Structures are given as C-alpha cells and as structure tokens.
Amino acid sequence: MPVQRIKFYQTGSFAVGNRLLDPDQRSVQADTHRTNSLNSGHRACQGCGEALGARYVLDAVMRATGNQMVAVNSTGCLEVFSTPFPESSWRIPWLHSLFGNAPAVATGVAAALKVKGRTDVRVVGQGGDGGTVDIGLACLSGMFERNDDVLFICYDNGGYMNTGVQRSGATPHGAATTTTPAGNSFGQGKNLPEIAMAHRIPYVATATVADLRDLEYKASRAMEFHGARYLHVLVPCPLGWRTASDETIRIARLATESGVFPVFEAVDGVVSDATKIRRLVSVIDYLRPQGRFAHLFGDTPREDVISRIQAEADRNIRIFGLTESDEVS
C-alpha cells in the first residue's frame, strides 16, 4: 500500500510515532500539533482498543481536512466513556445521536452544510459494532444507497460491551458472551465491509489498531473521496475479550496474522489492495490468549469449533490473497 513506505519492525525505534524520522515523515500521532480529538480524562477501561482507534482515526481525519470536520457519534461504549455528564473528552465538533440513527443524523448534518454552502466541512459518523451492524444497519444501508457524503466508521470490538458484554452481529463464532455463555453458535456474524462493498460505494477499508500508519492512511484517503465511505476498525476489548490490558495491540496483530481479520481496501465495490501477512500463524495463536474462547481448550477441546474458525481464516487468506501460500504454519 502507498502508506507502507516506512516500516520499523526493530525494537527501540519509537515505532508507534516514528519520532526518530524527519517531521514530515512521522505519523499523525507523532505530530506535536495533532488535534488530540479524544483527549485525556475519559473513562475507558485500561487498554481499550476503541479509545485508541477513535483518537487515531479522527486525528488523521482532522489533519486531512484542515480541522474542518464534524463527528456524529451513536450511543455506545465510545459515547458513554467519553461524555459522562457534564464532562466531555472531545476536542472537535461532536454530536451524540441515538443508538441506531447515527448514519441518518450524519446525513442530515452533511445536507445542512451543503445548503449553507460549507463544502469545506466534512462529516464523519461513528459507532461500535452494535450500533453499526445491528441497530443502525438500516440507516447505514440507506446512507450507502443514497451515496451521502459521509465517512462512517465502525469500531468493532465484537459485542455490546457497554451494557454487559452481550452478543452482537459481529461476535465471532465460538466466542463466549453473557448471552452466549457456552459460546456463540449462531454463525460468523455480519460481514459489514462486504455488505458495504455490495452497495458499490466509493471507498471501503478495514484496519486495526495494531498498524497505526495503515489506519491513519486509510482515514486520510477516505477523505479524498466524496460520497458514502466506510471504515471498519478492529479494536480489541480487554473486558469483553478477557485479555490482559497490555495485550490489545498484540491481539489485534494476531487477528490479521491468522487471517481471521483481513485488512484491505476497495474502490467502487472492488478490492484494490490487501495487506499481505508477514508471519502467518494458526488461529489457535489468536484464540488462546482470549478468555472468551477458553472453553474451546478445556478438558474436551472443541476441535470442531476451532476447525470452523480456521476454515474461515483460510477462506479469507485465499479470497484476499493474503499470502503466497494457503498453508498455515
């Protein structure tokens, strides 16, 4: 991808921000003038992937738009932990919508700005997977079908984490939640990136918090397009995934290295680029660190469930061409 001109894999490089590079080569997060869209003082859990994802994405969008951006936020974890009345950690124009209508509200904001002749101000809608793939899906599909000039971002942590870790339409097969304590057996959930591509909107991309430069690049590139755009970001949740708070980035990286979460971008409904897996691993390496999959490795391992998850990962690898070989090491 164009963003991958600079990659630091060695330790001791300040790799998250690449602060050893010349200023014009550093990431947005390494820029001393970054917006800090989501500032300190919020009440997210330690290690929250969603807090990282939102700050990374919106700081990149703010730089790409010259700080001319309005964000509409659906109800959910991100809204609750960032705006406990009467406080707010947002340093951008920010609106709170209902759980299911953020795409519609964002569309209204974009329409109002157009009527006022403010073509310089861009609109972003955002929410978790519950407010995106479930409750807000109808509004989101309508936004896509009309090709409204909005970038919608889903921060996917695989469940309704704010209300007690219930299963959502993005909960992976086999994962335990408070409503599926024996493991989610309802299928693979809804693949929103592919649903968005089926609408043939101008731009669709996936990313994770494990690759900062890729995430910033895609957030910035999305603003080069007009019309409906969709960015799906994997953001591990230590509470719901039952992982250590310092493992968020590693877990997100394992999701891509195993093929469970393919990272790609698509233009007008056609995949234009996909990130190759540098170090292919088994899905077991991804599943084991997560307590929500602990029941798969008990006294009677659920080989059937693990095999199903591996088969889906292998399918992703094959369809998106993520490696030079289909073999899993």
Side-chain angles (χ1 to χ4, degrees):
M1 291 183 178
V3 70
Q4 305 299 352
R5 293 172 308 209
I6 301 168
K7 271 189 175 286
F8 281 30
Y9 294 110
Q10 70 273 23
T11 59
S13 66
F14 301 148
V16 168
N18 293 139
R19 291 182 175 86
L20 298 182
L21 298 172
D22 292 334
D24 62 340
Q25 294 180 308
R26 296 175 189 172
S27 68
V28 176
Q29 287 302 304
D31 185 350
T32 57
H33 300 293
R34 71 177 184 267
T35 307
N36 281 334
S37 303
L38 180 62
N39 206 11
S40 59
H42 59 73
R43 303 182 185 185
C45 299
Q46 187 176 21
C48 173
E50 190 168 35
L52 290 175
R55 192 184 78 194
Y56 291 167
V57 169
L58 295 187
D59 279 357
V61 170
M62 285 291 280
R63 186 164 81 173
T65 60
N67 296 335
Q68 298 299 302
M69 183 266 284
V70 177
V72 176
N73 205 133
S74 69
T75 297
C77 243
L78 180 59
E79 168 264 324
V80 170
F81 73 63
S82 64
T83 57
F85 183 81
E87 304 167 3
S88 175
S89 288
W90 296 102
R91 299 182 62 190
I92 56 174
W94 183 90
L95 291 80
H96 169 215
S97 74
L98 300 178
F99 218 141
N101 71 344
V105 173
T107 291
V109 173
L113 289 168
K114 182 178 180 180
V115 169
K116 292 172 67 68
R118 293 300 305 273
T119 57
D120 58 320
V121 181
R122 309 300 299 279
V123 181
V124 167
Q126 59 181 6
D129 51 280
T132 304
V133 310
D134 287 342
I135 305 174
L137 183 57
C139 287
L140 186 62
S141 179
M143 189 199 94
F144 289 162
E145 192 273 331
R146 293 186 302 269
N147 199 29
D148 295 320
D149 191 20
V150 174
L151 166 63
F152 199 89
I153 306 153
C154 174
Y155 303 108
D156 179 5
N157 57 23
Y160 290 90
M161 302 309 183
N162 174 59
T163 52
V165 193
Q166 295 93 353
R167 178 193 178 274
S168 83
T171 301
H173 183 73
T177 68
T178 54
T179 49
T180 57
N184 172 35
S185 60
F186 295 98
Q188 291 300 132
K190 305 168 192 174
N191 191 320
L192 234 297
E194 293 191 3
I195 293 174
M197 288 168 59
H199 288 75
R200 299 185 181 179
I201 59 177
Y203 186 73
V204 175
T206 65
T208 81
V209 290
D211 192 335
L212 173 63
R213 282 188 172 272
D214 178 70
L215 180 54
E216 289 183 346
Y217 158 72
K218 286 169 177 171
S220 299
R221 187 172 186 221
M223 306 316 293
E224 298 175 3
F225 295 83
H226 284 272
R229 289 143 287 142
Y230 181 69
L231 179 59
H232 194 101
V233 187
L234 185 69
V235 290
C237 170
L239 175 67
W241 295 22
R242 304 180 202 171
T243 55
S245 59
D246 61 351
E247 290 280 270
T248 299
I249 300 301
R250 187 175 79 90
I251 297 298
R253 185 173 295 114
L254 287 170
T256 62
E257 291 178 336
S258 62
V260 168
F261 188 85
V263 175
F264 65 91
E265 56 184 341
V267 176
D268 296 328
V270 179
V271 175
S272 58
D273 207 348
T275 300
K276 298 286 186 180
I277 297 174
R278 294 183 63 250
R279 183 183 69 95
L280 185 62
V281 301
S282 166
V283 295
I284 292 176
D285 295 320
Y286 169 67
L287 301 174
R288 273 194 183 281
Q290 303 178 52
R292 62 177 179 164
F293 292 111
H295 58 284
L296 301 182
F297 302 97
D299 294 336
T300 306
R302 291 298 307 274
E303 300 289 350
D304 56 330
V305 178
I306 296 172
S307 295
R308 177 171 174 173
I309 298 171
Q310 183 67 67
E312 183 64 23
D314 292 344
R315 177 182 179 274
N316 290 335
I317 292 170
R318 182 177 65 257
I319 289 176
F320 292 99
L322 301 180
T323 67
E324 300 301 327
S325 170
D326 291 341
E327 294 182 4
V328 177
S329 60

